[in-house]
Amino acid sequence: MTTANWRPESLAAQALGWIDAKTGAVSPPIHMSSTFLRDPDNQYRTGHIYIRDDNPAFEQVEALLTKLEGGASALVFASGMAAVTSVFLAHKPGDHVLVAEHVYYGVRKWLNGFAKPWGLAVDYVDMSNLDAVKRAFRPGQTKLIWTETPANPVWTITDLAAIASIAHASGAKVAVDSTVATPVFCKPIALGVDIVMHSATKFLNGHSDICAGALITRQEDEMWERLWTIRTQLGSIIGSMEAWLLLRGMRSLFPRVQWAARSAQQLAEKLQAHPFVASVLYPGLADFPGHAIAARQMTGGFGAMLSIRVKGGETGAIRSAAHVNLWKRATSLGGTESLIEHRASIEGDASTTPKDLLRLSVGLEDAADLYDDLAAALDTGHRN
Ligand code: PLP
């Protein structure tokens, strides 16, 4: 069987067209074994030794991720944060990293609380301002630019090709958290990015029932070896069951996120006209800063995440969220169910998110139902 001319949608739907040679099963078996038999001549010809090194359960999902991102290899991790922190830990104390000022708040918290005391030099910079990036770059010392696009929860857009050329001119690497864009809407490696990261807990899995992360690399180089070693030595692997669930979720990735992104676009446009919405943050809106770059580097949609800034400040936002019915008040994103969250409340003291902001993860419900429910909650929240 050849999959050479299959489009990404087909590769995902059939998880690369894999069929179990022994049984003909179209859905893969779950290998639970933590250890694997050594050959009598002392070799390990299957390539499997011990679960912390590698696991047959990872192979198919890593192969699919590699293919969808157009990379050379992929690694799955116990969580998105395990994947993120591994990239920074692959550096040495004294190395300088430039990090986007808007990133998932857990990344900033870990960098400030752990990576800086450990010896990494970390500077935050507005990645949408290329001059600021060039000024903050320290040739020779800067080893990595870390960005996220669209960036949680204000959806700032990074011009990945431009950032890659700044980094590569001085031998640094670029890594991007592409959790929100997904391989459906953006292919960072084709734009010059070296490492793509996903919180696979979100859209890749898509069903809010596992915790997982992934890295995909442009090339299998020394950095990639270090990342494999870190995963193996720290044991930040996912279990066989989680790997299976991730692959199961990825089979429906394309229709799920395309549907959700269409709804997000409709919601963003309609919410702009709501009397209690001060502004809508969504890269698909023509007047959103970074829209032109997003339109160039994303294809087929702008993702299923948006935020609204609510009139009445923090109180107005929290009171509005209190009255939703169809939307669920919960953290996280990327599941079939739509979620609403007052971000500043979960991010705590270190939060830089506006206090009047509600983050919306759009799921698979009917878009008109979602609008009606949220519009009614905004109305009730402002009346009471
Ligand atoms: N990156 C983004 C954009 C996220 O939203 C999250 C979690 O919310 C993470 C990374 C961390 O992923 P995980 O929760 O799987 O560790």
Side-chain angles (χ1 to χ4, degrees), residues 79-82 84 104 107 148 152 177 179-180 197 199-202 211-213 332-333 359:
S79 67
M81 280 306 289
V84 174
Y104 169 60
V107 175
E148 181 179 320
N152 221 334
D177 183 337
T179 299
V180 169
M197 174 264 156
S199 166
T201 314
K202 319 296 184 196
C211 186
S332 200
L333 52 113
R359 188 182 77 176

mmCIF file of all heavy atoms in Angstrom, residues 79-82 84 104 107 148 152 177 179-180 197 199-202 211-213 332-333 359, ligand 1:
data_model
loop_
_atom_site.group_PDB
_atom_site.id
_atom_site.type_symbol
_atom_site.label_atom_id
_atom_site.label_comp_id
_atom_site.label_asym_id
_atom_site.label_seq_id
_atom_site.Cartn_x
_atom_site.Cartn_y
_atom_site.Cartn_z
ATOM 1 N N SER A 79 2.961 15.477 28.838
ATOM 2 C CA SER A 79 2.096 16.673 28.847
ATOM 3 C C SER A 79 2.706 17.699 27.912
ATOM 4 O O SER A 79 3.883 17.577 27.509
ATOM 5 C CB SER A 79 2.014 17.271 30.262
ATOM 6 O OG SER A 79 3.276 17.778 30.642
ATOM 7 N N GLY A 80 1.938 18.733 27.619
ATOM 8 C CA GLY A 80 2.493 19.836 26.853
ATOM 9 C C GLY A 80 3.655 20.462 27.610
ATOM 10 O O GLY A 80 4.697 20.778 27.026
ATOM 11 N N MET A 81 3.493 20.635 28.917
ATOM 12 C CA MET A 81 4.558 21.255 29.717
ATOM 13 C C MET A 81 5.824 20.389 29.749
ATOM 14 O O MET A 81 6.934 20.920 29.810
ATOM 15 C CB MET A 81 4.064 21.553 31.141
ATOM 16 C CG MET A 81 3.225 22.816 31.247
ATOM 17 S SD MET A 81 4.036 24.304 30.582
ATOM 18 C CE MET A 81 5.300 24.587 31.808
ATOM 19 N N ALA A 82 5.667 19.068 29.729
ATOM 20 C CA ALA A 82 6.849 18.198 29.677
ATOM 21 C C ALA A 82 7.603 18.428 28.364
ATOM 22 O O ALA A 82 8.841 18.432 28.330
ATOM 23 C CB ALA A 82 6.444 16.736 29.817
ATOM 24 N N VAL A 84 7.484 21.290 26.516
ATOM 25 C CA VAL A 84 8.043 22.659 26.562
ATOM 26 C C VAL A 84 9.328 22.676 27.384
ATOM 27 O O VAL A 84 10.380 23.163 26.939
ATOM 28 C CB VAL A 84 7.043 23.647 27.227
ATOM 29 C CG1 VAL A 84 7.686 25.020 27.413
ATOM 30 C CG2 VAL A 84 5.757 23.752 26.443
ATOM 31 N N TYR A 104 1.618 30.782 26.746
ATOM 32 C CA TYR A 104 0.850 30.087 27.778
ATOM 33 C C TYR A 104 1.478 30.420 29.133
ATOM 34 O O TYR A 104 2.692 30.264 29.295
ATOM 35 C CB TYR A 104 0.859 28.584 27.485
ATOM 36 C CG TYR A 104 0.330 27.762 28.629
ATOM 37 C CD1 TYR A 104 -0.969 27.939 29.092
ATOM 38 C CD2 TYR A 104 1.128 26.817 29.257
ATOM 39 C CE1 TYR A 104 -1.448 27.197 30.149
ATOM 40 C CE2 TYR A 104 0.650 26.058 30.305
ATOM 41 C CZ TYR A 104 -0.642 26.265 30.754
ATOM 42 O OH TYR A 104 -1.107 25.520 31.812
ATOM 43 N N VAL A 107 4.251 28.468 30.962
ATOM 44 C CA VAL A 107 5.619 28.496 30.428
ATOM 45 C C VAL A 107 6.407 29.605 31.119
ATOM 46 O O VAL A 107 7.520 29.400 31.612
ATOM 47 C CB VAL A 107 5.602 28.706 28.888
ATOM 48 C CG1 VAL A 107 7.014 28.853 28.346
ATOM 49 C CG2 VAL A 107 4.859 27.574 28.202
ATOM 50 N N GLU A 148 4.819 31.531 20.406
ATOM 51 C CA GLU A 148 3.528 30.823 20.362
ATOM 52 C C GLU A 148 2.647 31.633 19.431
ATOM 53 O O GLU A 148 2.565 32.854 19.586
ATOM 54 C CB GLU A 148 2.949 30.785 21.781
ATOM 55 C CG GLU A 148 1.625 30.055 21.904
ATOM 56 C CD GLU A 148 1.112 30.038 23.360
ATOM 57 O OE1 GLU A 148 1.921 29.868 24.299
ATOM 58 O OE2 GLU A 148 -0.100 30.201 23.546
ATOM 59 N N ASN A 152 -1.827 32.517 23.392
ATOM 60 C CA ASN A 152 -2.778 32.436 24.482
ATOM 61 C C ASN A 152 -2.643 33.607 25.465
ATOM 62 O O ASN A 152 -1.529 33.827 25.926
ATOM 63 C CB ASN A 152 -2.395 31.164 25.254
ATOM 64 C CG ASN A 152 -3.562 30.381 25.697
ATOM 65 O OD1 ASN A 152 -4.629 30.914 25.890
ATOM 66 N ND2 ASN A 152 -3.335 29.102 25.890
ATOM 67 N N ASP A 177 5.098 27.040 19.878
ATOM 68 C CA ASP A 177 3.936 26.346 20.429
ATOM 69 C C ASP A 177 2.801 26.558 19.431
ATOM 70 O O ASP A 177 2.279 27.664 19.288
ATOM 71 C CB ASP A 177 3.605 26.941 21.803
ATOM 72 C CG ASP A 177 2.436 26.231 22.486
ATOM 73 O OD1 ASP A 177 1.621 25.617 21.780
ATOM 74 O OD2 ASP A 177 2.343 26.322 23.731
ATOM 75 N N THR A 179 -0.053 24.797 19.389
ATOM 76 C CA THR A 179 -1.234 24.116 19.938
ATOM 77 C C THR A 179 -2.534 24.648 19.350
ATOM 78 O O THR A 179 -3.429 23.882 18.997
ATOM 79 C CB THR A 179 -1.268 24.306 21.478
ATOM 80 O OG1 THR A 179 -0.088 23.726 22.026
ATOM 81 C CG2 THR A 179 -2.488 23.668 22.104
ATOM 82 N N VAL A 180 -2.629 25.978 19.249
ATOM 83 C CA VAL A 180 -3.885 26.596 18.818
ATOM 84 C C VAL A 180 -4.037 26.530 17.294
ATOM 85 O O VAL A 180 -5.130 26.329 16.770
ATOM 86 C CB VAL A 180 -3.960 28.047 19.351
ATOM 87 C CG1 VAL A 180 -5.098 28.821 18.721
ATOM 88 C CG2 VAL A 180 -4.106 28.012 20.874
ATOM 89 N N MET A 197 5.902 22.523 18.812
ATOM 90 C CA MET A 197 5.407 21.908 20.049
ATOM 91 C C MET A 197 3.879 21.960 20.071
ATOM 92 O O MET A 197 3.270 22.919 19.573
ATOM 93 C CB MET A 197 5.999 22.672 21.243
ATOM 94 C CG MET A 197 5.489 22.252 22.585
ATOM 95 S SD MET A 197 4.136 23.334 23.091
ATOM 96 C CE MET A 197 3.297 22.263 24.224
ATOM 97 N N SER A 199 0.570 21.111 22.895
ATOM 98 C CA SER A 199 -0.106 20.460 24.009
ATOM 99 C C SER A 199 -1.136 19.555 23.336
ATOM 100 O O SER A 199 -2.175 20.023 22.863
ATOM 101 C CB SER A 199 -0.797 21.472 24.923
ATOM 102 O OG SER A 199 -1.680 20.754 25.771
ATOM 103 N N ALA A 200 -0.819 18.258 23.285
ATOM 104 C CA ALA A 200 -1.710 17.300 22.610
ATOM 105 C C ALA A 200 -2.948 17.015 23.449
ATOM 106 O O ALA A 200 -3.875 16.346 22.993
ATOM 107 C CB ALA A 200 -0.944 16.013 22.303
ATOM 108 N N THR A 201 -2.947 17.551 24.668
ATOM 109 C CA THR A 201 -4.132 17.519 25.549
ATOM 110 C C THR A 201 -5.302 18.227 24.876
ATOM 111 O O THR A 201 -6.458 17.971 25.217
ATOM 112 C CB THR A 201 -3.789 18.288 26.855
ATOM 113 O OG1 THR A 201 -2.500 17.877 27.314
ATOM 114 C CG2 THR A 201 -4.815 18.066 27.935
ATOM 115 N N LYS A 202 -4.989 19.121 23.952
ATOM 116 C CA LYS A 202 -5.996 20.036 23.385
ATOM 117 C C LYS A 202 -6.568 19.496 22.070
ATOM 118 O O LYS A 202 -7.145 18.437 22.058
ATOM 119 C CB LYS A 202 -5.393 21.424 23.201
ATOM 120 C CG LYS A 202 -4.500 21.886 24.347
ATOM 121 C CD LYS A 202 -5.241 22.048 25.654
ATOM 122 C CE LYS A 202 -4.301 22.598 26.715
ATOM 123 N NZ LYS A 202 -4.785 22.457 28.066
ATOM 124 N N CYS A 211 -3.858 13.742 28.977
ATOM 125 C CA CYS A 211 -2.841 14.785 29.069
ATOM 126 C C CYS A 211 -1.645 14.297 28.250
ATOM 127 O O CYS A 211 -1.161 13.174 28.468
ATOM 128 C CB CYS A 211 -2.446 14.987 30.525
ATOM 129 S SG CYS A 211 -1.320 16.372 30.780
ATOM 130 N N ALA A 212 -1.199 15.106 27.296
ATOM 131 C CA ALA A 212 -0.086 14.684 26.428
ATOM 132 C C ALA A 212 0.552 15.890 25.763
ATOM 133 O O ALA A 212 -0.066 16.956 25.660
ATOM 134 C CB ALA A 212 -0.591 13.718 25.352
ATOM 135 N N GLY A 213 1.787 15.714 25.331
ATOM 136 C CA GLY A 213 2.474 16.770 24.598
ATOM 137 C C GLY A 213 3.235 16.164 23.433
ATOM 138 O O GLY A 213 3.401 14.939 23.352
ATOM 139 N N SER A 332 -8.666 24.920 30.070
ATOM 140 C CA SER A 332 -8.280 24.078 28.933
ATOM 141 C C SER A 332 -9.015 24.487 27.658
ATOM 142 O O SER A 332 -9.760 25.479 27.640
ATOM 143 C CB SER A 332 -8.474 22.595 29.213
ATOM 144 O OG SER A 332 -7.672 21.830 28.304
ATOM 145 N N LEU A 333 -8.771 23.726 26.614
ATOM 146 C CA LEU A 333 -9.281 24.074 25.290
ATOM 147 C C LEU A 333 -9.174 22.868 24.361
ATOM 148 O O LEU A 333 -8.526 21.872 24.676
ATOM 149 C CB LEU A 333 -8.484 25.253 24.709
ATOM 150 C CG LEU A 333 -6.950 25.131 24.683
ATOM 151 C CD1 LEU A 333 -6.443 25.049 23.258
ATOM 152 C CD2 LEU A 333 -6.332 26.362 25.359
ATOM 153 N N ARG A 359 -11.895 33.950 27.885
ATOM 154 C CA ARG A 359 -11.353 33.143 26.778
ATOM 155 C C ARG A 359 -12.384 32.098 26.373
ATOM 156 O O ARG A 359 -12.996 31.461 27.223
ATOM 157 C CB ARG A 359 -10.064 32.460 27.226
ATOM 158 C CG ARG A 359 -9.340 31.756 26.083
ATOM 159 C CD ARG A 359 -8.100 31.044 26.565
ATOM 160 N NE ARG A 359 -8.429 29.800 27.234
ATOM 161 C CZ ARG A 359 -7.513 28.938 27.694
ATOM 162 N NH1 ARG A 359 -6.235 29.220 27.568
ATOM 163 N NH2 ARG A 359 -7.879 27.821 28.279
HETATM 164 N N1 PLP B 1 0.581 25.476 25.448
HETATM 165 C C1 PLP B 1 -0.650 25.977 25.404
HETATM 166 C C2 PLP B 1 -0.999 26.953 24.311
HETATM 167 C C3 PLP B 1 -1.605 25.599 26.354
HETATM 168 O O1 PLP B 1 -2.841 26.126 26.294
HETATM 169 C C4 PLP B 1 -1.227 24.678 27.370
HETATM 170 C C5 PLP B 1 -2.191 24.271 28.405
HETATM 171 O O2 PLP B 1 -3.225 24.877 28.596
HETATM 172 C C6 PLP B 1 0.069 24.178 27.375
HETATM 173 C C7 PLP B 1 0.955 24.592 26.395
HETATM 174 C C8 PLP B 1 0.496 23.191 28.411
HETATM 175 O O3 PLP B 1 0.002 21.938 28.040
HETATM 176 P P1 PLP B 1 -0.378 20.769 29.080
HETATM 177 O O4 PLP B 1 -1.507 21.261 29.927
HETATM 178 O O5 PLP B 1 -0.725 19.617 28.187
HETATM 179 O O6 PLP B 1 0.858 20.511 29.887
#
